């Protein structure tokens, strides 16, 4: 039986290893008995002596007999050196383990080269300073700067491990809406592996021996020259939707990187052409997010309506004389 006490900065636990674990490696046993924490973190605690077994420091690969007494006395150190910055946040949900944010277009998620501050992470750290103890400040998946919509943030180590697992086993559902050039088939699945572009390393591309990438889509509305599509990701490769839709010949309206030409606009009148070509970002919005709550185990579903710019474009295209 586990006897645990948690604070935001300190973790204490004491338990006995089951005898059926006899012969297993201590790092593997701890990963099974303490699933709230990553294997890397548990290995670090073992190595530094924050986890002892029968009052001894074991090497991660050392095998155990079963029945040993484990004591955990670990301090959570800051995982990031980014600072908080007070900025508006559209928080859809927040509890002790999970934050869901509706990110506006134009906001970068992480600080980095060219964006040392003014990012979503800076805003999160100002509102939830405990996120400095979570790797990547709790961000477990990303949205491009100019993609709007829902983003899940882990507020605890337990939640981080749980959400990362959901991403890996594809139990986290992510649905998007996009406006694309031309008229794709009514529905389809794009199963096309992706990796870095061979020559342009800042871009992604469909490549034969890339990492698996699967996108499901179906057309929800059509205009004379474009289509609104709903998309669901099975994998989460960088720029996946943008690359996949370009791959089938229907790039996203407003995409400055992956759009090649403007398929379907050849016969458009001037008003329609201006509406579509003047849209200032890729027309992509993460509209819904479904996940298993890390603590309660309940299915949680969150929705974010289309932002004003996309909604205005939708209405304008529906009313324009084509």
């Amino acid at each position: 039986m586990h006897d645990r006490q948690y604070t935001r900065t300190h973790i204490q636990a004491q338990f006995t290893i089951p005898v059926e674990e006899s012969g297993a490696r201590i790092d593997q046993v701890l990963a099974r008995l303490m699933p709230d924490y990553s294997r890397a973190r548990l290995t670090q605690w073992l190595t530094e002596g924050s986890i002892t077994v029968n009052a001894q420091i074991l090497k991660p690969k050392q095998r155990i007999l079963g029945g040993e007494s484990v004591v955990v006395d670990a301090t959570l150190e800051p995982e990031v050196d980014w600072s908080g910055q007070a900025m508006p946040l559209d928080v859809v949900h927040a509890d002790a383990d999970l934050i869901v944010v509706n990110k506006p277009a134009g906001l970068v998620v992480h600080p980095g080269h060219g964006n040392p501050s003014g990012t979503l992470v800076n805003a999160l750290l100002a509102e939830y300073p405990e996120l400095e103890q979570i790797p990547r400040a709790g961000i477990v998946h990303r949205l491009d700067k100019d993609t709007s919509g829902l983003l899940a943030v882990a507020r605890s180590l337990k939640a981080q491990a749980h959400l990362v697992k959901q991403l890996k086993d594809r139990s986290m559902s992510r649905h998007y809406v996009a406006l694309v050039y031309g008229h794709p088939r009514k529905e389809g699945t794009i199963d096309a592996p992706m990796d870095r572009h061979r020559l342009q390393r800042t871009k992604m591309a469909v490549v034969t021996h890339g990492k698996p990438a699967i996108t499901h889509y179906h057309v929800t509305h059509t205009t004379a020259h474009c289509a609104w599509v709903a998309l669901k990701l099975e994998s989460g490769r960088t720029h996946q939707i943008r690359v996949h839709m370009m791959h089938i010949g229907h790039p996203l309206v407003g995409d400055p990187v992956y759009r090649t030409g403007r398929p379907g606009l050849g016969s458009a009148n001037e008003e329609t052409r201006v509406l579509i070509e003047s849209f200032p970002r890729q027309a992509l919005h993460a509209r819904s997010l479904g996940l298993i709550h890390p603590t309660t185990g309940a299915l949680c579903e969150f929705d974010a309506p289309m932002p004003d710019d996309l909604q205005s474009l939708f209405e304008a295209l529906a009313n324009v004389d084509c």
Side-chain angles (χ1 to χ4, degrees):
M1 180 177 179
H2 293 226
D3 178 17
R4 297 184 180 182
Q5 179 182 0
Y6 298 98
T7 69
R8 290 206 182 278
T9 59
H10 207 140
I11 296 169
Q12 294 178 308
Q14 186 170 355
F15 55 89
T16 300
I17 296 176
V19 293
E20 55 265 29
E21 294 285 2
S22 178
R25 286 171 32 168
I26 184 60
D27 59 346
Q28 296 172 339
V29 171
L30 290 174
R32 286 190 286 271
L33 297 180
M34 300 181 69
D36 296 353
Y37 307 100
S38 67
R39 177 80 65 85
R41 183 176 293 274
L42 293 169
T43 297
Q44 176 190 340
W45 287 345
L46 270 173
T47 303
E48 68 188 18
S50 296
I51 297 180
T52 58
V53 181
N54 282 350
Q56 295 181 328
I57 299 175
L58 299 188
K59 294 180 179 179
K61 294 183 179 181
Q62 200 163 330
R63 298 188 182 274
I64 49 89
L65 297 175
E68 291 93 337
S69 176
V70 175
V71 175
V72 182
D73 188 0
T75 300
L76 295 179
E77 301 292 340
E79 291 280 346
V80 298
D81 57 6
W82 303 316
S83 58
Q85 185 177 359
M87 296 166 55
L89 270 178
D90 183 2
V91 178
V92 175
H93 172 87
D95 60 37
D97 293 291
L98 176 67
I99 304 165
V100 178
V101 179
N102 184 15
K103 186 189 85 68
L107 184 63
V108 175
V109 172
H110 281 110
H113 180 68
N115 298 283
S117 61
T119 71
L120 177 65
V121 161
N122 296 115
L124 285 166
L125 286 168
E127 186 72 19
Y128 308 101
E130 68 274 12
L131 292 177
E132 72 171 7
Q133 298 166 358
I134 314 297
R136 303 182 68 82
I139 301 291
V140 295
H141 64 114
R142 297 183 300 172
L143 294 176
D144 297 335
K145 174 185 175 182
D146 288 326
T147 298
S148 56
L150 296 173
L151 194 75
V153 182
R155 199 175 177 181
S156 66
L157 289 172
K158 172 184 179 179
Q160 185 213 22
H162 204 287
L163 293 175
V164 168
K165 181 179 182 297
Q166 290 184 55
L167 283 167
K168 288 182 177 179
D169 65 20
R170 301 177 180 177
S171 59
M172 181 184 293
S173 63
R174 291 166 291 163
H175 296 262
Y176 294 74
V177 61
L179 179 66
V180 302
Y181 286 97
H183 296 143
R185 291 169 46 194
K186 182 63 178 177
E187 60 183 27
T189 294
I190 307 167
D191 186 350
M194 291 175 52
D195 213 328
R196 290 286 171 188
H197 193 285
R198 185 173 62 88
L199 299 176
Q200 298 172 281
R201 303 303 290 175
T202 59
K203 294 177 63 174
M204 303 297 289
V206 170
V207 295
T208 303
H209 300 294
K211 297 175 182 177
I214 299 175
T215 304
H216 305 284
Y217 77 87
H218 71 271
V219 176
T220 59
H221 301 83
T222 59
T223 68
H225 307 283
C226 295
W228 292 93
V229 293
L231 306 109
K232 180 183 178 182
L233 295 182
E234 277 200 28
S235 48
R237 308 302 172 201
T238 300
H239 302 171
Q240 179 172 319
I241 289 174
R242 299 163 64 188
V243 172
H244 270 180
M245 295 311 294
M246 179 65 215
H247 179 65
I248 65 169
H250 299 282
L252 269 61
V253 166
D255 190 337
V257 177
Y258 295 104
R259 182 190 66 213
T260 301
R262 293 166 173 81
L265 278 194
S267 61
N269 63 27
E270 183 65 18
E271 185 179 2
T272 301
R273 186 179 296 275
V274 169
L275 270 175
I276 294 171
E277 294 188 353
S278 65
F279 195 72
R281 67 172 178 102
Q282 64 252 16
L284 181 62
H285 175 65
R287 66 177 178 85
S288 69
L289 179 66
L291 53 85
I292 305 300
H293 193 278
T295 299
T296 67
L299 174 62
C300 299
E301 297 182 331
F302 306 98
D303 293 284
M306 282 212 298
D308 291 344
D309 61 347
L310 276 180
Q311 185 62 36
S312 296
L313 182 60
F314 180 89
E315 294 171 1
L317 287 174
N319 296 322
V320 73
D321 179 11
C322 298

